[in-house]
Amino acid sequence: MKHSTNPQTRRGRGPARRIGRTLALVLPVFLVLSGTLAVTRVNWTGSPSDSVLTASDISAARAKARAPQDVLRDKLLTELQEENPGIALTHLQEAVNDRPSLAKHCASIARALGRAAVRVYGPTRAQSYARPVCDTSFATGVAASHT
């Protein structure tokens, strides 16, 4: 049996060194492949079909979510056609009282209601429903549609 004459220990050649060497070989390959796969998932053609969801898609989806004033306007316009402008104006005032953040949109909604009332009821009958909701903006909408 032959023995080594060098009494030096085998420091640094244990399982940690093997794991380190394996990672040094596998990790760069993994990073290159994952980066390549990520780039291949990007829609470079410009057509929206089969595209991956991006940050711009998320912001577009948020923009599609309707603002509260738009929802209220549509609801009140439907109510104006089904009931009458007086009920729609009452509900507009109640909505503004319940949600003060809608106050800055009250005048534009009331003008839209006035224009719609002229289309549905005619200028004379529409003006009869006017009341001081949102600084008489309903009457302004009626007058603007009439002239």
Side-chain angles (χ1 to χ4, degrees):
M1 186 165 174
K2 194 174 190 183
H3 293 284
S4 170
T5 58
N6 189 356
Q8 195 177 30
T9 61
R10 297 178 51 186
R11 214 182 289 179
R13 295 183 187 225
R17 185 168 180 166
R18 275 191 304 247
I19 292 172
R21 282 186 178 176
T22 304
L23 281 177
L25 177 66
V26 173
L27 191 60
V29 173
F30 174 75
L31 291 174
V32 168
L33 287 178
S34 64
T36 303
L37 293 175
V39 170
T40 60
R41 299 272 319 212
V42 174
N43 182 8
W44 297 103
T45 63
S47 65
S49 62
D50 296 333
S51 64
V52 177
L53 187 63
T54 61
S56 62
D57 294 334
I58 293 170
S59 65
R62 287 182 184 156
K64 286 181 184 178
R66 298 189 57 212
Q69 66 269 13
D70 295 335
V71 172
L72 177 63
R73 179 181 296 120
D74 292 345
K75 177 184 160 207
L76 293 175
L77 287 171
T78 303
E79 196 171 85
L80 179 136
Q81 293 175 352
E82 293 174 355
E83 302 287 334
N84 66 52
I87 292 174
L89 287 171
T90 300
H91 289 157
L92 173 61
Q93 188 65 52
E94 289 171 354
V96 170
N97 290 343
D98 291 343
R99 291 184 67 183
S101 63
L102 291 172
K104 61 185 171 188
H105 304 286
C106 184
S108 66
I109 294 172
R111 277 192 300 275
L113 289 173
R115 290 189 297 270
V118 168
R119 286 191 302 272
V120 174
Y121 297 100
T124 306
R125 187 163 175 217
Q127 188 63 40
S128 70
Y129 289 104
R131 56 176 81 154
V133 175
C134 304
D135 298 328
T136 65
S137 294
F138 178 81
T140 305
V142 169
S145 292
H146 181 58
T147 56

